[in-house]
C-alpha cells in the first residue's frame, strides 16, 4: 500500500479526511472530466472491507475443500 502524509494534501482533502465519522463519506478523486482516479475510505471502512474479503475467501476455500473430498470418495 502506498502512503501519503496528510501534510502533503490540499486543504479541501484534509478537511474531508478530518471528518469525525467518515464511514459513509468516501472521497472520490476525479480527473475533472468525470473519470474516477481514486477513492479514499476511512480506516474503519477499509477494515470492514478486508474482513468481508477474508470471509469470502474462507467460504471459497471451504467449498473447494468440500468439493475435493466429495470427488475423492
Amino acid at each position: 500500500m502506498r502512503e501519503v502524509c496528510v501534510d502533503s494534501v490540499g486543504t479541501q482533502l484534509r478537511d474531508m479526511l478530518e471528518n469525525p465519522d467518515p464511514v459513509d463519506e468516501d472521497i472520490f478523486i476525479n480527473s475533472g472530466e468525470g473519470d474516477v482516479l481514486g477513492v479514499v475510505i476511512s480506516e474503519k471502512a477499509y477494515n470492514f472491507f478486508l474482513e468481508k474479503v477474508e470471509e469470502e475467501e474462507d467460504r471459497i476455500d471451504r467449498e473447494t475443500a468440500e468439493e475435493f473430498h466429495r470427488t475423492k470418495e
Side-chain angles (χ1 to χ4, degrees):
M1 179 183 313
R2 299 179 290 176
E3 290 187 24
V4 174
C5 179
V6 73
D7 293 335
S8 67
V9 301
T11 304
Q12 182 181 14
L13 181 56
R14 183 187 306 221
D15 290 345
M16 289 180 183
L17 292 170
E18 291 174 349
N19 180 343
D21 190 24
V23 173
D24 294 328
E25 300 293 331
D26 302 337
I27 302 168
F28 287 85
I29 301 171
N30 69 58
S31 65
E33 297 173 3
D35 299 320
V36 176
L37 299 176
V39 177
V40 178
I41 62 174
S42 69
E43 180 181 10
K44 191 174 180 181
Y46 179 70
N47 288 333
F48 176 80
F49 171 75
L50 286 181
E51 180 182 319
K52 294 301 173 185
V53 168
E54 289 171 4
E55 286 174 7
E56 181 63 10
E57 288 173 341
D58 290 346
R59 184 191 65 77
I60 292 168
D61 290 345
R62 280 192 307 275
E63 286 181 358
T64 301
E66 289 170 4
E67 180 65 24
F68 174 78
H69 291 296
R70 270 195 303 273
T71 59
K72 198 171 181 181
E73 292 176 354

